[in-house]
Amino acid sequence: MKAVKVISLVSACVAVVALSASVLMLREKEEDIFVPEIPGIEEPEEETSQNMELPEQDKPITEETVTEPAEEVTEPEPEEVEEEIKYTPDGQTKPKIIYDKLNMPAYPYVPNNEGYDRSYEGLLKRNDDVVGWLRINNTQVDYPLLIDPGDIVPGMGYGNQYVEYNEYYLHHNIDRQYLFEGNIYMDCRDNFGPVEGLQSENIVIYGHNMLNGSQFGNLRYYKDTSYYWSNPFVYLSSIYKDYEYVIVSFCITSGNADTDFRYWDMEELDTPEMFDYYVNRIKRDQLLDTGVDIHYGDKLLTLSTCHADEDNTRFIILARRLRDGESTSNFATIQRNG
C-alpha cells in the first residue's frame, strides 16, 4: 500500500508540473487571443435574507447582528414636494410632505442616540424603518411596527419599482421581501419620536384583514361588541418609550378617496375644532358607546384595516393614550363621560 501511495504522489506532482507549463505557454500567447465583451451581462449579486422570529416577551429582544445591506446608490437629494390635502368638509387644508428617501431612512439606526431602547438594536440593524412594537392582548396583534418609507424610487434600497407613499409594507415584510400579507405599518407622515410634544396628535397604523387572523385580522373580534369589555386596551411602544391606550370607539367607514371623511389624512389635529371633528365623526357611526372620556389634548391612535371589498369600506379603531392615574390593570380607573 505504501509503494502505491508514493507512485500516486509522484504522478500527481508530474501532472502539476505539466499543467503549470501549459499555463505559462498560454500566458505567452494571450496577446494573440481576442475575448469579446458581452454588454449587459453582470454577475448576479447574492441575495441574503433572514426569517423574522417574534419574541416571547411583550417587546422585542436583541437579535444577533445580521449582514449589513449593500451600500445604496446615491443620487442628488431632491427637494421636498408639498401637496394640498383636505382635512374637513368645509375645505380647510394643510400641506402634506411627500417624503423622498433617496439617501436617508426615515428613522436611521444610530447606536444609542437619543436614548432609544437597546432591545430594539437587532431590529434596527435589520430594518431602519422599525419605530416600535404594537400588541393587543388575546389577539395575534403582537408585531414590530414599521413606518412607511414614503414615495419610493429605484435606488433607495426597496427594489427597482416606483411605489407610492403608504403602500410599500402592504405587501412586504420586515426584511423588505415580498409578502402578500405585508407588515403592520405607520403612516409615513406620522411623528413617533422621543419628544412627546412633537409626536403626531393621531398615530395612524394600517394592516391587512387576513382571514387567518394575522396582521389586523383579529380586529374584527370587536364587531362583536361584547369582546370590547375584556380587551379594551392597546399597547404601543416607540423605540424610546412604552405607551398604553384605551379604546374609545370603533366603526365602519368608507375607504374611497372621494369620501367626506378622509381619516387617513388626519394625523395632525392641531386645533380643538379639528380634534372634535375627527372624534365626533367616528362616534357618529360607532358600533358601541364605550363611555370613555376623550378631549382635545389626548394623544390618539387609529388602527385601520379593510372591512369589505364590495364597497371599499374600512374598519377603524380609535384609542387614546392613558392619562395619569389610569391603569390597564383596572378599567375602573379609566375616566368616563359625565
Side-chain angles (χ1 to χ4, degrees), residues 23 40 53 60 62 67 87 118 124 127 158 167 201 212 228 257 262 266 303:
V23 171
E53 295 182 359
T62 303
T67 304
Y87 270 72
R118 299 288 297 199
L124 286 167
N127 188 332
Y158 293 87
E167 291 189 1
E201 286 81 14
N212 64 4
Y228 169 82
R262 295 169 60 93
M266 301 187 69
L303 308 180

Side-chain angles (χ1 to χ4, degrees), residues 277-327:
Y277 168 77
Y278 183 74
V279 172
N280 292 334
R281 186 61 174 77
I282 293 177
K283 283 189 171 184
R284 189 192 78 176
D285 298 325
Q286 67 185 3
L287 303 182
L288 174 68
D289 183 1
T290 65
V292 174
D293 181 55
I294 184 171
H295 56 67
Y296 178 68
D298 287 326
K299 291 291 188 180
L300 305 184
L301 169 64
T302 300
L303 308 180
S304 171
T305 191
C306 291
H307 174 256
D309 292 336
E310 293 79 8
D311 55 2
N312 197 32
T313 49
R314 303 289 185 269
F315 180 67
I316 61 175
I317 292 178
L318 172 66
R320 68 158 172 83
R321 191 172 295 176
L322 261 58
R323 302 168 183 167
D324 292 341
E326 296 180 327
S327 172

Side-chain angles (χ1 to χ4, degrees), residues 174-186:
I174 190 173
D175 294 309
R176 298 181 183 175
Q177 298 171 331
Y178 177 83
L179 183 68
F180 177 79
E181 57 264 41
N183 199 96
I184 62 169
Y185 63 96
M186 182 181 297

Side-chain angles (χ1 to χ4, degrees), residues 27-140:
R27 288 181 176 176
E28 291 176 357
K29 297 181 179 182
E30 66 180 0
E31 293 182 356
D32 299 328
I33 298 174
F34 172 71
V35 180
E37 295 184 358
I38 303 177
I41 304 298
E42 298 180 355
E43 290 294 328
E45 295 183 358
E46 182 180 356
E47 296 183 355
T48 60
S49 64
Q50 287 190 319
N51 293 323
M52 173 184 173
E53 295 182 359
L54 295 178
E56 296 180 357
Q57 293 88 354
D58 294 339
K59 290 175 50 182
I61 59 177
T62 303
E63 301 177 6
E64 294 182 0
T65 303
V66 298
T67 304
E68 293 292 337
E71 184 177 355
E72 296 179 358
V73 178
T74 58
E75 298 181 16
E77 185 174 353
E79 297 181 356
E80 292 182 337
V81 180
E82 292 189 353
E83 288 184 358
E84 289 290 318
I85 58 172
K86 183 175 292 187
Y87 270 72
T88 62
D90 61 7
Q92 185 175 4
T93 58
K94 191 173 183 179
K96 176 190 72 174
I97 300 299
I98 302 298
Y99 294 91
D100 198 338
K101 290 180 17 176
L102 284 175
N103 299 312
M104 57 176 291
Y107 282 74
Y109 166 69
V110 180
N112 206 26
N113 187 39
E114 298 181 344
Y116 75 88
D117 187 335
R118 299 288 297 199
S119 66
Y120 285 94
E121 184 170 321
L123 289 174
L124 286 167
K125 288 180 179 179
R126 189 169 172 179
N127 188 332
D128 53 23
D129 287 333
V130 171
V131 290
W133 197 271
L134 181 68
R135 175 173 61 87
I136 302 177
N137 288 341
N138 301 314
T139 71
Q140 294 185 51

Side-chain angles (χ1 to χ4, degrees), residues 144-197:
L145 176 63
L146 307 176
I147 189 167
D148 183 86
D151 281 359
I152 294 174
V153 297
M156 292 173 58
Y158 293 87
N160 296 318
Q161 292 183 332
Y162 172 78
V163 181
E164 293 185 354
Y165 73 99
N166 287 338
E167 291 189 1
Y168 181 76
Y169 287 114
L170 275 174
H171 298 297
H172 288 85
N173 64 14
I174 190 173
D175 294 309
R176 298 181 183 175
Q177 298 171 331
Y178 177 83
L179 183 68
F180 177 79
E181 57 264 41
N183 199 96
I184 62 169
Y185 63 96
M186 182 181 297
D187 193 291
C188 66
R189 295 162 290 182
D190 288 350
N191 183 328
F192 198 42
V195 182
E196 293 185 2

